[in-house]
Amino acid sequence: MYTPVDKRNAISIDAARKLIVENVSKLTLDTEEINVSDASHRIIAEDVLASHDLPTFRRSGYDGYAMLEEDLHDFPVTLKVVGNIPAGANFDRPLVSGEAVRIMTGGYVPDGADVVVMLETTKMLDDDTLEVSERQKRDNITQIGSFFKQGDTLLAKDTEINPGGMSLLASFDIQKIKVYKKPTIGIITTGSELLQPGDEIVNGKIFNSNGPLIKGLCEENGAEVVGYTQIKDDPQLLKDAIKDLQGKCDVIITDGGVSVGDYDIIADLAKASDKLLFNKLEMRPGSVTTSFIDKGIIYFGLSGNPGACFTGFYLYVEYALRLLQKQQSRLLECQGTLNEEYKKTNMYDRILRGKFKIDADHIEIGRVGGDASDNLNNLQLATALFEIPRGDSITPKGSVLRTWLLPFK
Amino acid sequence: MYTPVDKRNAISIDAARKLIVENVSKLTLDTEEINVSDASHRIIAEDVLASHDLPTFRRSGYDGYAMLEEDLHDFPVTLKVVGNIPAGANFDRPLVSGEAVRIMTGGYVPDGADVVVMLETTKMLDDDTLEVSERQKRDNITQIGSFFKQGDTLLAKDTEINPGGMSLLASFDIQKIKVYKKPTIGIITTGSELLQPGDEIVNGKIFNSNGPLIKGLCEENGAEVVGYTQIKDDPQLLKDAIKDLQGKCDVIITDGGVSVGDYDIIADLAKASDKLLFNKLEMRPGSVTTSFIDKGIIYFGLSGNPGACFTGFYLYVEYALRLLQKQQSRLLECQGTLNEEYKKTNMYDRILRGKFKIDADHIEIGRVGGDASDNLNNLQLATALFEIPRGDSITPKGSVLRTWLLPFK
């Protein structure tokens, strides 16, 4: 009536994640050159160095007058105003003693000048005579190369570029950049119980909710979903679907078909793979979550239960997708304080889908919606995962628990 | 030589944000219907209700056998196995006393049956005779409507849909959804010092880095940049650029041209607007950050200094863009502990661009790169903003400071 899979060796969450780090870190994505304007949250694949100092000229930090330090004694001092340097303008000769020049914030400080006196401490006595009543402690000049020296690393290889980095590249007029290609993903959702959109609801059947979940989460994580299929529980269909994806995917994710009692294609593939990472976890929900690497492709077999699929994605697939892109997980791991007693106990660590609230420097966590692994009523609402340790005692209010804050929530 | 603007009344960060809440909350974006598959992180513009109960049928929580509770006494019990219900299958008659049916996780529990006994506690004595040695405490059946009852709210109006929500909508076969249109943004960067990409570097001129910064941050926040121009310091050019954007933008952001000493187009517009929010802040950098609302358009005048532009965007523009989309800011406000002494003092609260680290339940903050407002060397690296309170005492290591953790970093 069903094919039992081999006895599986359950490992801990941390052991599973350690295996992902060790093995996924060895894989590398191809690179491509793209426009910097399209590079938000892409991962840079080479060190980008400063081709010149920045700033490229001495810049005024304030509106005021540029002048020579040596003239500033025996206040008030009078100087001859010999010009005006608005933003963007050059000044074609050095300033000499007795002269001042009007300058705007960011303006070019002429050679010879070595201090900018703020407008507020000056007064025009006539059209070209300036009186300076005091000087500030600082020279108010931003020196050449004070932000970056030629050869400094602007963005290091394996950095995820954000808008701040785009602005930095723009400030050096760097318009093209080498980045890693987006990881390509194939998703296969399996289950004879799955309807197609538009089908009529009948006893025993449900609409496919995990497919959209996995697809959305992959895309949030910078991946490109290049294959997406839904198949019945049929070993040949699954074999064919996997084969179809192998040529074009960095990661293949199957959903469903990993429980005892289901067919064992995934188990067979895992057994024959270059590197089985895990096929059983000391964790609920999703204890049958499976991962292996074969011929450079990372495979994940997620549970068909929505809650288990969600949890398995965040704890393992997200982690691997980020590592494949040379990045740390975006889940913020921390210690949260439970806001109410949790009664259920389990022989495995239980990961609950919950909500967090930061109040000053305190991270409070609590449940949201149902905690059954087949319940999808909190997948939208959950903003954190947290761990109820295994054992047979209830978890009291105020317990400090391992918590992961979820990104993009 | 310059046109002084009117005396400005500086307000606090909190007062400025309160004015944004009060005024931006009154504005509403148009709506449009889109495919749920394209709805990740869009904002839903109507309550979406459950058209039916979910689950739609009684589902088995385990692999095992469905049977009648009334048969389960005087163990071991023997029952006749009358069928097999794999995932997705119906069963066309009620189960009666003395019968059992093989059932898979998620399978349809036939009428009459009121308990599923897990496979592990059963044994087949012959081809159709089952021995049950015990029963579990629970019935292991997920009841109709236990996730959602017909009429329940699946997603409330003004919810930002995430992949969890997409999976929920898919589970009800909802394929179209009404969302708010993305806020449309016009960006005008001003400054005669700004080069165009590809230009040669000359004294006094710099490449435009704030334009790409603002554009990238707007896009991160779900907005669509429909206008993007760079102009010289020229009142007529600015007037024309603003006029050109007014017909097509929900938000217009200018950058530069808001300091004393610059021309005062923005100040004039602010003065004549329906609602001036602020034109001076008790904050460094970016004290001249300006915002007003006129004819339903939100205007921001950001400082041309990169650090001030960055800070002003996160504290005010992000806040407004999120409010316009009926969402809270994605900046997580909390209390961080400073990891080293900060010596500089200021008459205004100073917002530093820094990094944070969560260690268990402790949030540590520290500086990264330069803190001058014209320095862009930390815009990529900063993951937090934190506030050095105004005053004339230095801020010691260990100070607990108001902190905002930045999103997408």
Side-chain angles (χ1 to χ4, degrees), chain A residues 35-253:
Chain A
N35 291 323
V36 168
S37 54
D38 298 326
S40 195
H41 297 290
R42 296 296 297 271
I43 317 301
I44 197 166
E46 60 186 350
D47 286 336
V48 180
L49 307 182
S51 53
H52 54 76
D53 289 353
L54 193 75
T56 56
F57 58 92
R58 295 190 308 146
R59 282 195 340 206
S60 173
Y62 288 96
D63 282 331
Y65 290 88
M67 56 196 67
L68 279 64
E69 169 76 40
E70 64 180 65
D71 289 338
L72 294 179
H73 51 84
D74 302 318
F75 292 98
V77 168
T78 55
L79 297 167
K80 187 179 177 198
V81 177
V82 295
N84 174 30
I85 307 179
N90 196 358
F91 194 74
D92 58 2
R93 67 167 179 84
L95 219 59
V96 296
S97 177
E99 293 181 336
V101 66
R102 176 81 176 92
I103 195 165
M104 304 285 277
T105 304
Y108 168 72
V109 177
D111 290 348
D114 50 10
V115 63
V116 171
V117 170
M118 290 165 75
L119 198 64
E120 294 87 319
T121 59
T122 63
K123 181 164 73 175
M124 289 300 289
L125 299 181
D126 59 41
D127 273 2
D128 60 0
T129 309
L130 180 77
E131 183 184 277
V132 181
S133 56
E134 61 174 293
R135 69 152 293 185
Q136 292 82 46
K137 273 179 249 162
R138 300 184 200 147
D139 63 11
N140 298 327
I141 295 173
T142 306
Q143 299 298 332
I144 292 170
S146 59
F147 303 162
F148 292 98
K149 304 270 182 227
Q150 184 178 357
D152 277 356
T153 300
L154 297 177
L155 294 177
K157 184 170 186 285
D158 299 346
T159 295
E160 178 178 341
I161 303 172
N162 58 44
M166 292 164 78
S167 78
L168 179 56
L169 295 172
S171 75
F172 279 87
D173 198 28
I174 296 168
Q175 295 170 38
K176 297 267 183 186
I177 191 129
K178 195 166 125 187
V179 295
Y180 294 108
K181 285 188 178 175
K182 293 183 174 193
T184 49
I185 316 281
I187 300 168
I188 305 168
T189 48
T190 67
S192 299
E193 76 278 19
L194 297 179
L195 297 166
Q196 291 287 353
D199 282 354
E200 203 177 319
I201 300 172
V202 292
N203 281 339
K205 306 251 187 206
I206 59 173
F207 288 104
N208 181 355
S209 66
N210 285 349
L213 175 69
I214 296 168
K215 185 164 181 283
L217 290 173
C218 284
E219 287 168 351
E220 264 190 2
N221 283 289
E224 196 177 346
V225 176
V226 296
Y228 179 86
T229 51
Q230 173 183 322
I231 56 173
K232 288 187 192 307
D233 290 320
D234 176 328
Q236 193 55 49
L237 287 179
L238 182 57
K239 271 186 200 163
D240 292 348
I242 288 175
K243 197 169 173 198
D244 183 50
L245 292 173
Q246 280 165 337
K248 55 186 176 192
C249 293
D250 299 307
V251 181
I252 295 176
I253 303 172

Side-chain angles (χ1 to χ4, degrees), chain B residues 44-65:
Chain B
I44 198 167
E46 61 186 350
D47 287 336
V48 180
L49 307 182
S51 53
H52 54 76
D53 290 353
L54 192 77
T56 56
F57 58 92
R58 295 191 307 146
R59 285 202 330 212
S60 173
Y62 288 96
D63 281 331
Y65 290 87

Side-chain angles (χ1 to χ4, degrees), chain A residues 41 63 160 173 220 260 380, chain B residues 41 63 160 198 220 260 380:
Chain A
H41 297 290
D63 282 331
E160 178 178 341
D173 198 28
E220 264 190 2
V260 174
Q380 163 76 32
Chain B
H41 296 290
D63 281 331
E160 178 177 341
E220 262 190 3
V260 174
Q380 163 76 32

